[in-house]
Amino acid sequence: MALYARPVLPALRLLGPGGERAWARQPRITVGRRPISFSAGASGVFGSGGHSKKEKLFLQDVAELIRARACQRVVVMVGAGISTPSGIRDFRSPGSGLYSNLQQYNVPYPEAIFELGFFFHNPRPFFALAKELYPGNYRPNVIHYFLRLLHEKGLLLRLYTQNIDGLERASGIPASKLIEAHGSFASATCTVCRTPSPGEDFWADVLVDRVPRCPVCTGIVKPDIVFFGEPLPQRFLLHVVDFPMADLLLILGTSLEVEPFASLCEAVRSSVPRLLINRDLVGPLAWRPRSRDVVQLGDVVHGVERLVELLGWTEEMQDLIQQETGKLDGQDR
């Protein structure tokens, strides 16, 4: 689930003094590529002498680039659309989204549930929502396991997620590969003395409808998710290294509306393919497309399954899902 906030990261400048993108001033890392034979579309990504051409790419071309190991540093950006197949509602869908169904929590307006001022005045609505979002209530789906497979094949440079549900972790992707841009429920901290709180203690209170309190100072314990106006986690700054290094950007299940996360898709080099698998055409891929953009619109699960098929990974995916489902079934017993 993606938190619908516009978190502020004071240390990050998105625009330069003259309005230019600050990404342009970041150090660029030049990476050589070994010559390889591609289809007509795929060869347009890395032409002779490293110069790009203008041929349009398709999903098949992206799969061919991955299969040929021409793309070995894949950065992934994901949002709420990869968690809805697991049964987690997103925030903004009219009628069905969480923001449309917050009346039960007695909040003055939907966004208040993620505002610190309202939280300190009345934390119970937030913790009631947190109980509904308890990570143990949901399981990773095929999209999460596709990303896990990318990692196992040594292709995943980093996964940037807007989601706070922890399903990327639950799928087996190691923390070193994860940037949880809006934090997660995996840890919690006292809002007064900043003492860290074990996740199991936090959830023990939340699941019995009790406001978690710090054992040191009795302050309210808040999970380490980003509320409106809070800075993003320090690990988010890894983007200044990861995106210039990427040779493929995958964007899955996100509206690309929340900053500064949304602007990250502009940070890869212009020669790098950007593959969007999403319900709608969104963000810079809609209003400032690049010649190497590939767009697969519609159901995100179907789009990912099609890519997996083109990669020849279907059997491996089925084996991985069966293996991990068996583990989760064992934990539930």
Side-chain angles (χ1 to χ4, degrees), residues 247-269:
D247 51 25
L248 175 64
L249 177 63
L250 300 184
I251 306 167
L252 311 175
T254 173
S255 63
L256 290 182
E257 290 183 3
V258 180
E259 296 291 357
F261 186 92
S263 290
L264 292 181
C265 68
E266 297 274 75
V268 294
R269 290 165 293 130

Side-chain angles (χ1 to χ4, degrees), residues 10 17 55 95 108 115 140 168 194 227 234 236 249 254 318 324:
E55 287 91 343
E115 291 182 352
E168 295 89 0
R194 308 307 298 169
F227 275 33
Q234 284 295 309
F236 184 76
L249 177 63
T254 173
Q318 291 171 345
E324 294 301 312

Side-chain angles (χ1 to χ4, degrees), residues 13 37 40 44 68 72-73 79 86 90 110 115 135 194 231 240 270 306 311-312 325:
R13 287 181 63 98
S37 176
Q72 300 186 58
R73 292 175 300 279
S86 293
D90 65 13
E115 291 182 352
R194 308 307 298 169
V240 301
S270 60
R306 176 59 179 154
L311 288 166
T325 301

Side-chain angles (χ1 to χ4, degrees), residues 29-288:
I29 301 174
T30 303
V31 181
R33 305 181 189 281
R34 58 188 176 88
I36 198 161
S37 176
F38 301 115
S39 70
S43 64
V45 181
F46 310 121
S48 60
H51 297 293
S52 61
K53 300 179 183 177
K54 297 293 186 181
E55 287 91 343
K56 180 173 175 57
L57 297 182
F58 298 93
L59 193 64
Q60 172 69 52
D61 298 309
V62 174
E64 190 172 342
L65 287 167
I66 296 173
R67 285 171 61 89
R69 306 293 291 187
C71 294
Q72 300 186 58
R73 292 175 300 279
V74 182
V75 170
V76 183
M77 299 172 63
V78 301
I82 76 163
S83 293
T84 50
S86 293
I88 301 178
R89 290 182 288 172
D90 65 13
F91 278 89
R92 292 182 302 266
S93 292
S96 62
L98 281 173
Y99 274 165
S100 298
N101 293 273
L102 289 179
Q103 299 90 343
Q104 59 183 308
Y105 299 120
N106 193 28
V107 293
Y109 48 90
E111 293 84 357
I113 208 162
F114 291 113
E115 291 182 352
L116 284 175
F118 182 78
F119 176 79
F120 289 128
H121 169 71
N122 181 11
R124 291 191 177 278
F126 171 78
F127 288 117
L129 176 62
K131 181 179 179 181
E132 180 179 339
L133 301 179
Y134 176 58
N137 292 337
Y138 305 97
R139 289 186 173 189
N141 60 63
V142 65
I143 305 170
H144 298 97
Y145 288 123
F146 163 66
L147 301 175
R148 161 80 177 273
L149 201 54
L150 275 180
H151 162 65
E152 291 191 349
K153 290 180 175 292
L155 298 171
L156 181 65
L157 176 60
R158 207 84 65 190
L159 168 57
Y160 286 72
T161 178
Q162 295 172 278
N163 298 333
I164 59 176
D165 50 49
L167 290 181
E168 295 89 0
R169 291 174 181 244
S171 71
I173 297 171
S176 63
K177 293 292 182 179
L178 272 176
I179 304 294
E180 293 165 317
H182 296 162
S184 79
F185 284 107
S187 58
T189 304
C190 174
T191 56
V192 177
C193 71
R194 308 307 298 169
T195 298
S197 176
E200 56 269 24
D201 293 351
F202 165 80
W203 284 114
D205 287 331
V206 170
L207 293 177
V208 295
D209 302 317
R210 189 166 55 226
V211 174
R213 294 281 178 178
C214 175
V216 176
C217 72
T218 72
I220 299 173
V221 174
K222 169 184 164 294
D224 295 329
I225 63 173
V226 178
F227 275 33
F228 285 97
E230 289 191 299
L232 272 65
Q234 284 295 309
R235 276 181 59 79
F236 184 76
L237 290 172
L238 281 174
H239 73 83
V240 301
V241 176
D242 290 341
F243 280 75
M245 285 184 64
D247 51 25
L248 175 64
L249 177 63
L250 300 184
I251 306 167
L252 311 175
T254 173
S255 63
L256 290 182
E257 290 183 3
V258 180
E259 296 291 357
F261 186 92
S263 290
L264 292 181
C265 68
E266 297 274 75
V268 294
R269 290 165 293 130
S270 60
S271 62
V272 171
R274 301 186 300 183
L275 169 58
L276 173 71
I277 301 179
N278 206 46
R279 185 179 59 188
D280 304 303
L281 184 60
V282 294
L285 285 89
W287 47 263
R288 190 159 60 198

Side-chain angles (χ1 to χ4, degrees), residues 142 146 149 303-315 317:
V142 65
F146 163 66
L149 201 54
V304 167
E305 288 177 336
R306 176 59 179 154
L307 178 58
V308 168
E309 180 184 357
L310 291 170
L311 288 166
W313 295 358
T314 300
E315 187 173 344
M317 274 286 295

